[in-house]
Amino acid sequence: MPWNLSSERPIFSQIMERIQLDIIAGRYQPGQKLPSVRDLAAEAAVNPNTMQKAFSELERMGLVYSQRTSGRFITEDTALIQNLKAELAHMQIRDFLNKMKDFGFQLPEIMELIQALIEEEESHERSDAM
């Protein structure tokens, strides 16, 4: 997945969000070793100091830990990862609901739209499985 970083927000926070997403989506598994600061900085086309700042913040949050001579690893605390996943999901849902309300929808209408889309998605999944 390409690193689509914007100059509108601090780069280190965008990097943190990207790594958090990779963790909760399972692209990085609990206990897995992360690529080096230099390797990830080169991949993201950012200064290694910016990547280091993002890693330091992720360590402060407990999502990443360092082993002196071995590098950085993803936490093995799956409850922490699940809590982060739920927290990020709630934020996305709240943003979605607020936007739909801005469009003039009421909660029952929003629920009907969501239910219709879920049914449509399930229908596509069933036809793809055949």
Side-chain angles (χ1 to χ4, degrees), residues 23 27-34 62-65 67 70-78 81:
I23 292 169
R27 286 185 278 281
Y28 290 129
Q29 295 295 313
Q32 181 179 348
K33 185 177 194 266
L34 282 166
L63 285 174
V64 172
Y65 65 93
Q67 288 187 341
S70 303
R72 287 189 172 86
F73 297 81
I74 303 301
T75 183
E76 295 178 23
D77 184 348
T78 55
I81 295 170

Side-chain angles (χ1 to χ4, degrees), residues 11-51:
I11 300 297
F12 86 93
S13 65
Q14 294 176 66
I15 292 169
M16 285 178 55
E17 290 168 3
R18 163 68 186 269
I19 294 172
Q20 286 175 335
L21 180 61
D22 286 347
I23 292 169
I24 66 171
R27 286 185 278 281
Y28 290 129
Q29 295 295 313
Q32 181 179 348
K33 185 177 194 266
L34 282 166
S36 72
V37 168
R38 288 199 182 280
D39 288 347
L40 272 181
E43 181 183 322
V46 300
N47 185 302
N49 292 332
T50 304
M51 187 63 67

Side-chain angles (χ1 to χ4, degrees), residues 86-104:
E87 180 182 323
L88 293 175
H90 286 158
M91 288 171 43
Q92 289 294 312
I93 292 167
R94 189 169 311 284
D95 289 348
F96 168 76
L97 289 175
N98 288 334
K99 183 165 277 195
M100 294 301 286
K101 288 176 184 176
D102 288 345
F103 291 158

